[in-house]
């Protein structure tokens, strides 16, 4: 594949991402608190998470191991792998979702989304990157790494707090409090958005931007749906709390 072809695929994929964002204003992805019947066969929630996220880890690992990446590109690959190692092999074993299931169609669509996004980013980092050591001295590296690490920490703390709202065998929902939950309903999704914004700023290439568009397309509607769900479920839900951006949305 030439670079021009890769860019064409990225632009098409960005358009599909924007269309998905519009679609997700009307359709709520039926997993987690939004799970419902009528979406076909279901599988275990934990197995679903592993299957959905594994392609992102394995594809970047494949390109990382089989190509001769510069130190800057290797750093990007390693950050991606760290995130997806957690999401694929640690997060599913930490969540307290005993007996929960998710539709196979959600798993299949997430696998497809992850195959394309990781494929575009891995291919670029393997065959088209031209970073040099001086890339580590540029403004976008410093800004990007700060956003990525801050986002990672916010995502981890928030997911930890959410998971521990339940005792080991509980399945219900409670109002999360403390940390960024005082300002927004979904600091875990806010952290994840910061992370991939930081990644795109550091990488400064079209595949990383494409992935950021897709992350926004998935997470912004999910955050607003989570927020509406909290407000309709808990009459005493804090009025000033926003969905994902403190004071804004
Ligand atoms: P949620 O915030 O819905 O759930 C996270 C975990 O905490 C789940 O196990 C959930 O249980 C539990 N939980 C959440 N809220 C409560 C509550 N009020 N009371 C009790 N337990 C609660 O996150 P998502 O499932 O949407 O996402 C999980 C992770 O995956 C996040 O870190 C997110 O950033 C990431 N993600 C990334 C995407 C991307 O495009 N990059 C797309 C989607 C998610 P239950 O499942 O039973 O609701």
């Amino acid at each position: 594949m030439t670079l021009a072809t890769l860019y064409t695929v990225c632009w098409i994929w960005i358009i599909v991402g924007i269309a998905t964002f519009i679609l997700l204003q009307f359709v709520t992805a039926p997993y987690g608190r939004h799970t419902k019947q009528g979406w076909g066969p279901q599988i275990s929630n934990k197995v679903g998470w592993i299957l959905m996220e594994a392609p992102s880890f394995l594809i970047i690992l494949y390109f990382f191991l089989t190509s001769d990446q510069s130190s800057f590109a290797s750093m990007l690959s390693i950050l991606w792998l760290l995130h997806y190692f957690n999401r694929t092999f640690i997060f599913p074993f930490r969540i307290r979702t005993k007996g929960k299931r998710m539709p196979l169609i959600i798993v299949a669509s997430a696998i497809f989304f992850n195959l394309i996004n990781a494929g575009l980013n891995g291919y670029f980092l393997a065959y088209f990157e031209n970073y040099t050591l001086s890339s580590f001295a540029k403004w976008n590296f410093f800004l990007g790494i700060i956003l990525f690490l801050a986002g990672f920490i916010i995502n981890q703390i928030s997911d930890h707090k959410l998971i521990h709202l339940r005792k080991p065998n509980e399945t219900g929902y409670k109002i999360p409090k403390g940390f960024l939950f005082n300002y927004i309903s979904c600091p875990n999704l806010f952290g994840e958005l910061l992370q991939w914004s930081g990644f795109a700023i550091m990488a400064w290439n079209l595949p990383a931007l494409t992935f950021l568009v897709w992350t926004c397309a998935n997470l912004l509607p999910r955050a607003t749906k989570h927020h509406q769900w909290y407000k309709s479920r808990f009459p005493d839900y804090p009025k000033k709390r926003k969905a994902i951006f403190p004071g804004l949305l």
Side-chain angles (χ1 to χ4, degrees), residues 31-34 45 49 53 83-84 87 91 95-97 100 113 155 159 162-163 165-166 171-176 185-186 188-193 196 211 214-216 218-219 222 226 229-230 234:
Y31 67 98
R33 78 196 64 195
H34 307 289
N45 196 58
W49 272 105
E53 306 298 334
H83 173 87
Y84 275 102
R87 183 67 71 230
F91 177 78
I95 50 179
R96 295 177 173 176
T97 54
K100 276 211 165 177
F113 146 81
N155 179 264
D159 270 345
L162 287 172
I163 289 167
L165 285 173
R166 289 178 186 150
T171 51
Y173 290 91
K174 297 166 192 171
I175 300 179
S185 295
C186 306
N188 54 341
L189 309 189
F190 170 68
E192 180 117 12
L193 262 185
W196 297 111
F211 183 50
W214 268 90
T215 304
C216 293
N218 277 320
L219 295 189
R222 191 153 180 84
H226 276 15
W229 179 93
Y230 274 124
F234 298 104

Side-chain angles (χ1 to χ4, degrees), residues 75-121:
M75 178 273 301
L76 292 172
S77 296
I78 288 167
L79 289 178
W80 182 296
L81 290 171
L82 277 176
H83 173 87
Y84 275 102
F85 184 81
N86 170 62
R87 183 67 71 230
T88 312
F89 302 112
I90 298 178
F91 177 78
F93 297 98
R94 291 176 58 218
I95 50 179
R96 295 177 173 176
T97 54
K98 194 165 185 279
K100 276 211 165 177
R101 298 172 77 73
M102 69 164 74
L104 207 47
I105 189 149
I106 288 291
V107 179
S109 56
I111 289 174
F112 182 64
F113 146 81
N114 281 331
L115 279 175
I116 308 247
N117 282 310
L120 291 171
N121 279 277

Side-chain angles (χ1 to χ4, degrees), residues 38-242:
W39 284 79
Q42 301 198 331
I43 61 166
S44 141
N45 196 58
K46 286 179 196 287
V47 175
W49 272 105
I50 296 169
L51 291 177
M52 285 195 295
E53 306 298 334
S56 265
F57 179 80
L58 294 174
I59 288 174
I60 295 293
L61 183 66
Y62 168 80
F63 283 118
F64 180 60
L65 294 178
T66 58
S67 64
D68 185 19
Q69 299 184 4
S70 67
S71 48
F72 196 84
S74 300
M75 178 273 301
L76 292 172
S77 296
I78 288 167
L79 289 178
W80 182 296
L81 290 171
L82 277 176
H83 173 87
Y84 275 102
F85 184 81
N86 170 62
R87 183 67 71 230
T88 312
F89 302 112
I90 298 178
F91 177 78
F93 297 98
R94 291 176 58 218
I95 50 179
R96 295 177 173 176
T97 54
K98 194 165 185 279
K100 276 211 165 177
R101 298 172 77 73
M102 69 164 74
L104 207 47
I105 189 149
I106 288 291
V107 179
S109 56
I111 289 174
F112 182 64
F113 146 81
N114 281 331
L115 279 175
I116 308 247
N117 282 310
L120 291 171
N121 279 277
Y123 202 87
F124 183 91
L125 292 178
Y127 301 117
F128 298 122
E129 58 103 353
N130 58 359
Y131 301 111
T132 61
L133 267 185
S134 69
S135 304
F136 283 106
K138 291 190 175 145
W139 68 270
N140 58 310
F141 168 68
F142 290 109
L143 176 62
I145 192 79
I146 288 169
L147 289 179
F148 186 93
L149 293 177
F152 184 77
I153 292 166
I154 291 170
N155 179 264
Q156 289 297 308
I157 295 175
S158 312
D159 270 345
H160 178 85
K161 279 183 165 289
L162 287 172
I163 289 167
H164 290 87
L165 285 173
R166 289 178 186 150
K167 297 198 177 75
N169 283 325
E170 278 181 355
T171 51
Y173 290 91
K174 297 166 192 171
I175 300 179
K177 293 186 179 124
F179 188 54
L180 295 184
F181 291 102
N182 290 338
Y183 310 100
I184 48 177
S185 295
C186 306
N188 54 341
L189 309 189
F190 170 68
E192 180 117 12
L193 262 185
L194 274 190
Q195 261 187 274
W196 297 111
S197 303
F199 187 89
I201 290 170
M202 268 188 287
W204 209 255
N205 62 46
L206 191 55
L209 176 68
T210 308
F211 183 50
L212 177 60
V213 169
W214 268 90
T215 304
C216 293
N218 277 320
L219 295 189
L220 293 177
R222 191 153 180 84
T224 52
K225 296 288 167 62
H226 276 15
H227 187 61
Q228 286 161 4
W229 179 93
Y230 274 124
K231 288 200 291 186
S232 63
R233 173 107 174 202
F234 298 104
D236 54 337
Y237 197 67
K239 298 272 178 297
K240 287 196 173 156
R241 204 178 281 190
K242 297 287 183 186

